[in-house]
Amino acid sequence: MNNKKDIRALSKEQLREFFVKEGDKAFRGNQVYEWLWVKSAHSFDDMTNISKETRAMLEENFVINHIKVDAMQKSSDGTIKNAVKLHDGLIVESVLIPAKNRTTACVSSQVGCSLDCKFCATARLKRMRNLNPDEIYDQVVAIDKESRLYHNRPLSNIVFMGMGEPLMNYNNVLKAIDKITSDEGLGMSPKRIVVSTSGVPKMIKKMADDGVKFKLAVSLHSAIDEVRTSIMPFNATFPLTDLREALQYWFLKTKNRITYEYVVWKGINDKQKDIDALIEFCKFAPSKVNLIEYNPIDDGEFQQASNQAIESYVSQLEKNNITVTVRRSRGKDIDAACGQLANKS
Ligand code: SF4
């Protein structure tokens, strides 16, 4: 471990100020910033248009903390899972999901998770720390490179659905997205980014107030408080009425519809009353539903519901003019599917 400051924690303005204080030109800050973010320099020695003396001075004061893809696993369906080692040795996972016309990166925002969803492998790791903006950004850069290398096209979409609850690390997630969408970063459109939350009402309102341009998905899984609390215990603190009110606020301010992520489990939420409650919940703000195939993580407390139950959801949602998609899981053979990320590799 190193006590020098991570230079990528500085904003462009802070870098410019640093150089002025050192008796250099503010412009030097722009040059270094470009090396760090556009050219992804891993060492000060790579910065060939910066004098040797300046590079040595930077070396004395700072460190460039880059992630390292420690292990990469490829699924038979083309999905790739990266085990990403951070500068302090901790590991998170990110996943590349190829489809016909797009490649999606699923990235992590925390090491472990602050929340305790019963069906999720990450929850068992507990939260160890938040990821820094550069650690989130680097996961995206790594997947973009893999997408170009193995699928002959750049990364097109990003979902914050990996390890962690992104809204519990809001400031760093926002800073990472700023870099990803900036011309001085990856220049991606915010419309191609989805932040998926388990539903923290106060933070959903804050996002709306902050005028964010990315899309919002909520892991809903049940629109009945009692059921939701049994599988997502934090729902006792943030009940559905609060969530509903925050989502209405979100739509009012952003005019962006919400995606509900929803897994149907046998014996948990596969009854008619569950479908009725979801249909009612969808009426509060314009939304669509993704029904996601479940990937068992252990001895079978949670099991995928029957096809009949899923078809029942689909037909009744459609009858009520609610857009619904059934999402098949990808990368199951390498534990890369939703809810399976737990540093097992
Ligand atoms: S589902 Fe998401 S919010 Fe819930 S424990 Fe897992 S990583 Fe955390």
Side-chain angles (χ1 to χ4, degrees), residues 7 12 15-16 19 24-41 44 46-51 54-55 58 184:
I7 193 165
K12 194 184 199 175
L15 263 181
R16 285 165 58 86
F19 278 102
D24 202 335
K25 295 194 173 64
F27 173 68
R28 199 75 58 223
N30 297 13
Q31 287 179 309
V32 171
Y33 190 87
E34 192 181 342
W35 276 109
L36 293 172
W37 293 104
V38 184
K39 298 176 185 163
S40 286
F44 294 113
D46 293 344
M47 304 180 177
T48 45
N49 62 352
I50 308 288
S51 75
T54 305
R55 280 188 260 158
L58 289 173
E184 288 173 322

Side-chain angles (χ1 to χ4, degrees), residues 95-155:
V95 184
L96 177 160
I97 309 148
K100 209 165 159 214
N101 301 317
R102 58 162 69 183
T103 314
T104 303
C106 175
V107 296
S108 295
S109 54
Q110 297 182 308
V111 188
C113 187
S114 325
L115 302 179
D116 50 1
C117 306
K118 298 286 181 218
F119 50 82
C120 171
T122 308
R124 298 178 186 177
L125 298 174
K126 301 293 172 218
R127 189 193 82 93
M128 286 171 246
R129 73 168 171 88
N130 286 339
L131 293 190
N132 298 324
D134 49 287
E135 292 169 330
I136 298 169
Y137 180 84
D138 285 353
Q139 292 177 64
V140 177
V141 172
I143 290 185
D144 182 42
K145 276 190 194 144
E146 289 168 350
S147 179
R148 287 168 201 266
L149 187 65
Y150 299 109
H151 296 282
N152 294 319
R153 55 177 184 240
L155 176 70

